[in-house]
Amino acid sequence: MRREAPLRCVHLPINTVMLCLCLVAAAAFAGACSGGGGGGAGRTRETALRIVHGSIDAAPVTVRIGDVFLQKAAYAEVTSYVPVVPGPAVVTVERANAPGDIVAQLNIDFRPETEYSLFVVGETRHNDFGVTVIEEPVVRPASGIARLQLLNALPDSAAVKLQGTGFTVGPTGFSASSGFVEVPGGVQPVTVAYDNGRVIGQIELQLEDRGEATVVVSGSGDLRLNFTRVYYDLD
């Protein structure tokens, strides 16, 4: 089961065009509240794949292996993990509203007990839209500990980081992941900032004991739109 935190929208300009863009993006975030993170009665250890869609102006995408459809995601959606067979495979990412319009074809050698995120990033209007493969070995932390990961989908930005009480996650460059970091569970106030210290915003994480949280920073650099969203995976 996956929980998702409320939308955070910061650094917004006040003119009407930017406000409309913000509202459109916010509506997309609000639509990201369906789905789950797998799981049930204990941490799953299956090899699995999910989509993290962080491209603010890109169409929804679908993912398939061969002719087998796996998932579909729009901007700001993080899908459930779908089990896949370990071993080499060709993963095809297409625009959902234009079947056959291939965004990426990825050769992935799926490892046992490893989860994978297809991280959709960039802006189509800048011709830098693409997909990054993030490998996430399945690990269950000790009691009292949670795992926290930062994904940076904010184009034209410096590296970003999370700063909490006694821990820092990142800095993480564009289209990359910090990897999961073990942090104390419970309620954790966290600052989202650029590597130079300039603050993007503050969030409050509800880190479940032995659970996982993924923080995604996305938006548009030149439009000065920054969004931070938290996705919890409790399985």
Side-chain angles (χ1 to χ4, degrees):
M1 177 179 67
R2 190 186 68 222
R3 293 189 291 111
E4 297 171 5
L7 169 67
R8 304 282 178 170
C9 177
V10 296
H11 285 186
L12 299 182
I14 61 175
N15 66 67
T16 303
V17 174
M18 294 301 99
L19 179 59
C20 289
L21 284 172
C22 181
L23 291 174
V24 170
F29 270 96
C33 295
S34 61
R43 180 71 176 157
T44 59
R45 304 191 68 86
E46 296 175 300
T47 302
L49 180 70
R50 69 175 176 177
I51 308 170
V52 180
H53 196 314
S55 176
I56 194 170
D57 71 343
V61 298
T62 60
V63 172
R64 60 180 170 85
I65 295 179
D67 294 328
V68 178
F69 170 84
L70 296 181
Q71 292 179 322
K72 174 183 175 182
Y75 172 60
E77 286 187 326
V78 173
T79 64
S80 305
Y81 286 106
V82 173
V84 297
V85 177
V90 178
V91 178
T92 301
V93 183
E94 298 176 311
R95 288 181 171 82
N97 55 0
D101 187 352
I102 295 174
V103 173
Q105 281 195 312
L106 308 163
N107 293 297
I108 302 177
D109 189 359
F110 290 107
R111 301 175 185 271
E113 298 188 3
T114 304
E115 295 172 334
Y116 295 80
S117 290
L118 300 184
F119 190 25
V120 181
V121 296
E123 294 180 81
T124 56
R125 63 198 181 91
H126 289 164
N127 297 315
D128 61 358
F129 176 53
V131 181
T132 298
V133 180
I134 298 171
E135 189 173 305
E136 302 163 336
V138 176
V139 175
R140 195 175 190 201
S143 180
I145 301 297
R147 301 175 79 219
L148 179 60
Q149 174 182 219
L150 171 64
L151 302 183
N152 181 5
L154 187 59
D156 304 319
S157 73
V160 296
K161 60 185 177 182
L162 304 178
Q163 294 179 302
T165 303
F167 66 86
T168 298
V169 179
T172 305
F174 172 65
S175 80
S177 164
S178 64
F180 279 105
V181 176
E182 293 193 349
V183 300
V187 178
Q188 294 283 358
V190 171
T191 297
V192 185
Y194 294 108
D195 194 26
N196 62 12
R198 185 161 63 91
V199 172
I200 296 174
Q202 282 85 31
I203 56 177
E204 185 174 86
L205 301 179
Q206 306 284 338
L207 298 174
E208 297 287 339
D209 183 29
R210 308 182 82 176
E212 288 182 351
T214 296
V215 177
V216 181
V217 180
S218 66
S220 174
D222 59 351
L223 295 180
R224 296 168 53 207
L225 290 171
N226 299 329
F227 295 96
T228 299
R229 189 73 189 259
V230 186
Y231 302 88
Y232 296 97
D233 191 355
L234 306 182
D235 63 346

